Amino acid sequence: MSAPLSRDQVRLSRRVSMVLRHRPESVGITLDRNGWVPVDTLTAALGITRSELEAVVDGNDKSRFVIEDDRIRASQGHSRRVNVDLDLIPADPPPVLYHGTPSANLEPIMREGLRPRSRTHVHLSPDTSTATRVGSRRSPDVAILRVDTAAMTEAGRIFYRSANGVWLTDAVPPAYLSR
């Protein structure tokens, strides 16, 4: 297991995430149709070394990035405006998954369901501790929602599992949510 990232490495990780998931044009790069970009192209655009990038990739506790051969991409979490095909294969989820959100969001979510908003998919967690950690990024007051994925699958809803273990789906209607 890697040592925790330094403050500068966390800052760089956030920058890499922003570029690969949301705004590649902000540093003058273009992702291929599957979200990949040559490592050398990204490091040159960011003004960093390959070893600095690899330290951030290896030290990221959420495995947000994948380096394969001489290319890199984000595992998931792309904005809709970044049109990439991650070649996700439908997968059978466990019977229940979880979603952590600030408690202030609870009422509209229970009324309207979970929607991807500016992202391509809704992100779901395999356990409550992960959902709590994800939800607490935006607020210390977190509500954990239980998602009845067994019923969703039976109704024909499709799920995917990203390279870093995050479960993805297009939306979760309110009928499949509980506290």
Side-chain angles (χ1 to χ4, degrees), residues 11-31:
R11 206 172 294 126
L12 178 57
S13 178
R14 289 182 179 153
R15 188 166 178 222
V16 171
S17 187
M18 175 59 73
V19 168
L20 295 180
R21 296 164 89 186
H22 310 295
R23 301 201 45 195
E25 76 285 354
S26 69
V27 295
I29 65 170
T30 302
L31 306 178

Side-chain angles (χ1 to χ4, degrees), residues 84-99:
V84 298
D85 178 0
L86 295 177
D87 290 327
L88 296 170
I89 298 168
D92 293 327
V96 175
L97 290 170
Y98 302 91
H99 183 80

Side-chain angles (χ1 to χ4, degrees), residues 35-112:
W36 296 102
V37 65
V39 169
D40 292 344
T41 300
L42 181 63
T43 56
L46 296 177
I48 61 171
T49 66
R50 183 178 179 119
S51 62
E52 288 172 315
L53 179 64
E54 287 175 350
V56 165
V57 170
D58 293 342
N60 189 283
D61 64 341
K62 296 177 186 164
S63 302
R64 283 192 172 113
F65 317 109
V66 177
I67 293 180
E68 185 178 283
D69 300 321
D70 284 328
R71 59 192 188 153
I72 184 171
R73 77 174 179 184
S75 298
Q76 93 285 322
H78 297 83
S79 300
R80 287 180 188 252
R81 60 187 295 285
V82 178
N83 189 20
V84 298
D85 178 0
L86 295 177
D87 290 327
L88 296 170
I89 298 168
D92 293 327
V96 175
L97 290 170
Y98 302 91
H99 183 80
T101 189
S103 293
N105 298 341
L106 195 55
E107 186 180 323
I109 289 173
M110 295 306 286
R111 186 176 58 247
E112 302 167 17

Side-chain angles (χ1 to χ4, degrees), residues 1 4 14 21 36 47 90 96 123-124 129 137 157 165 173:
M1 185 164 161
R14 289 182 179 153
R21 296 164 89 186
W36 296 102
V96 175
H123 295 200
L124 302 172
S129 62
R137 290 188 314 217
R157 299 285 179 151

